[in-house]
Amino acid sequence: MKVTEHIAKAKDTLFSFEILPPLKGNTIDSICETMDVLMDFNPAFVDVTYHREEFVYQDQGDGLLRKKITRKRPGTVGICAALGAKYKIDTIPHIICGGFTAEETEDALIDLQFLGIDNVLALRGDPIKSQPDFRAEPGGHGYASELVKQIDKMNHGIYLDPELKNTEKTNFCIGVAGYPEKHFEAPNLNTDLLYLKQKVDAGADYIVTQMFFDNQAFFDFKDKCIQAGINVPIIPGIKPLVNKKQLVGIPKHFFINLPDALVDAVMKAKDDKEVKNIGIEWCIEQCKALKAAKVPVLHFYTMGKSADTARIAKEVW
Ligand code: FAD
């Protein structure tokens, strides 16, 4: 079932979460352990992230460098299919522009259609470490809105090859990312919202937000979206802060602010056990207020920490 259908049918705020494929060389067991714990809370759907390749340059000893491609977390589509079959749950693969030509994306979408997966989260992807900024693959997409356009065209039976006749329409429900505190490359929130609207106009059916720790940032973002004419469901992305290192790590990696009251409490904590309790309590309060405000779904970034998400879900539902 599509995310938008889950939302339309729901009488209360739904629960969903995101998982990362295991590091290469590991089994799917750790994912199933997370699933086993979180299935108790009746999730509407599960997102599986996509991690693009990185390049490393190895010295060959003769003055020449060899480009080696490494992919740390392969398996997004396989995990989606496996979890769908095992847990009878809707799984949402993340599809990114980075590293793919439009042809390769089309083939990946055809695979998903054959697997019966009819939800995707369409993203641009971050720049890879060896590049200073995001570079589209030649023949690929530079922005998520272009990817959304391609998927939407397939939903209308339009494939890349204009000579294809009598094509089947795909039936993807398309999610996109939104940033209550703006995307790090955007000059300001209004510009970012302009491009978010482009994604919705291109065919996106709903938005999932970057994490935030101050609900007011989400509520203000939602109001601004409505003013900008963005009328699709907006799903807040949620993550608890669970250790002191994250006071630096979260703003650094996700370009978001941490509220004074949370930072003060964490700074005063005597150890990470206390920090985790503070972070989880903060997150529970955030979730209760968002649920009271009737958000359609609370979507958790689990980062493989199912126990933390379960502790929060137990208090919220
Ligand atoms: P876009 O919507 O393309 O926006 C990127 C930037 O370009 C923004 O600053 C925007 O304002 C600007 N922009 C957009 N269109 C234009 C235009 N036409 N002209 C000029 N500027 C423009 N990354 C992964 O690699 N794998 C994942 O699985 C993954 N999952 C994610 C899930 C969620 C819910 C979120 C919020 C992020 C996720 N990311 C993931 C990270 C995401 O790929 C990065 O944040 C990336 O830098 C931007 O992706 P986007 O889809 O928001 O890009």
Side-chain angles (χ1 to χ4, degrees):
M1 193 155 85
K2 294 176 172 186
V3 168
T4 44
E5 290 167 346
H6 280 287
I7 291 173
K9 267 181 60 183
K11 295 201 167 57
D12 194 4
T13 299
L14 298 166
F15 167 65
S16 70
F17 59 94
E18 173 187 290
I19 52 174
L20 276 62
L23 286 166
K24 191 183 260 187
N26 289 290
T27 67
I28 198 174
D29 294 355
S30 60
I31 299 283
C32 292
E33 281 162 25
T34 297
M35 292 296 298
D36 290 342
V37 172
L38 297 181
M39 284 305 288
D40 282 353
F41 302 98
N42 197 21
F45 54 86
V46 180
D47 275 55
V48 183
T49 56
Y50 185 88
H51 300 262
R52 70 174 290 192
E53 79 290 353
E54 290 287 342
F55 302 122
V56 287
Y57 287 92
Q58 291 180 328
D59 193 341
Q60 296 196 106
D62 54 4
L64 295 175
L65 295 174
R66 189 171 69 96
K67 185 172 165 186
K68 184 171 176 254
I69 296 174
T70 58
R71 198 181 289 277
K72 288 192 186 136
R73 294 179 185 272
T76 300
V77 173
I79 291 169
C80 284
L83 297 186
K86 181 169 167 149
Y87 295 95
K88 309 283 173 253
I89 188 167
D90 288 306
T91 50
I92 306 183
H94 291 189
I95 304 283
I96 66 168
C97 305
F100 292 99
T101 63
E103 282 285 349
E104 288 164 340
T105 297
E106 184 173 274
D107 292 350
L109 290 163
I110 290 169
D111 276 344
L112 292 177
Q113 189 201 12
F114 290 162
L115 286 166
I117 294 172
D118 55 5
N119 289 287
V120 288
L121 192 74
L123 302 143
R124 187 196 70 180
D126 280 325
I128 51 173
K129 287 191 193 86
S130 49
Q131 292 177 346
D133 43 36
F134 180 83
R135 306 224 173 119
E137 199 66 14
H141 302 305
Y143 294 107
S145 54
E146 297 166 13
L147 174 57
V148 173
K149 246 180 233 166
Q150 180 180 5
I151 305 169
D152 186 65
K153 276 189 178 168
M154 287 175 72
N155 280 349
H156 290 88
I158 303 166
Y159 289 65
L160 293 171
D161 179 355
E163 286 175 17
L164 277 186
K165 296 276 178 280
N166 303 319
T167 50
E168 270 307 311
K169 291 178 184 166
T170 57
N171 189 23
F172 290 109
C173 176
I174 311 168
V176 290
Y179 303 83
E181 295 173 69
K182 91 170 185 70
H183 181 259
F184 70 99
E185 292 166 21
N188 56 42
L189 186 56
N190 285 339
T191 318
D192 209 21
L193 283 168
L194 202 82
Y195 294 126
L196 180 57
K197 179 148 189 326
Q198 259 183 21
K199 294 195 272 194
V200 174
D201 291 345
D205 297 295
Y206 68 97
I207 296 163
V208 186
T209 75
Q210 180 59 281
M211 67 185 78
F212 54 89
F213 290 81
D214 178 357
N215 281 356
Q216 199 53 49
F218 174 81
F219 293 132
D220 291 348
F221 173 72
K222 201 180 149 210
D223 287 348
K224 285 195 161 208
C225 281
I226 292 166
Q227 283 163 22
I230 296 170
N231 294 314
V232 296
I234 304 179
I235 298 176
I238 300 292
K239 186 189 128 50
L241 185 148
V242 289
N243 61 55
K244 216 172 219 170
K245 273 198 315 208
Q246 289 176 332
L247 282 186
V248 176
I250 288 175
K252 184 174 165 192
H253 294 297
F254 300 104
F255 305 93
I256 58 171
N257 285 314
L258 296 173
D260 288 341
L262 176 60
V263 175
D264 289 349
V266 169
M267 297 279 268
K268 283 185 199 138
K270 60 179 187 307
D271 54 27
D272 267 347
K273 192 170 168 222
E274 197 180 330
V275 173
K276 187 181 268 208
N277 286 336
I278 291 166
I280 286 185
E281 277 310 314
W282 183 278
C283 190
I284 290 168
E285 290 313 310
Q286 258 194 290
C287 290
K288 283 183 176 168
L290 289 163
K291 193 163 173 276
K294 300 198 181 320
V295 296
V297 185
L298 285 168
H299 183 69
F300 288 83
Y301 298 112
T302 63
M303 311 285 195
K305 304 262 187 330
S306 55
D308 295 344
T309 307
R311 215 174 124 188
I312 297 159
K314 211 180 261 175
E315 294 295 324
V316 178
W317 280 276

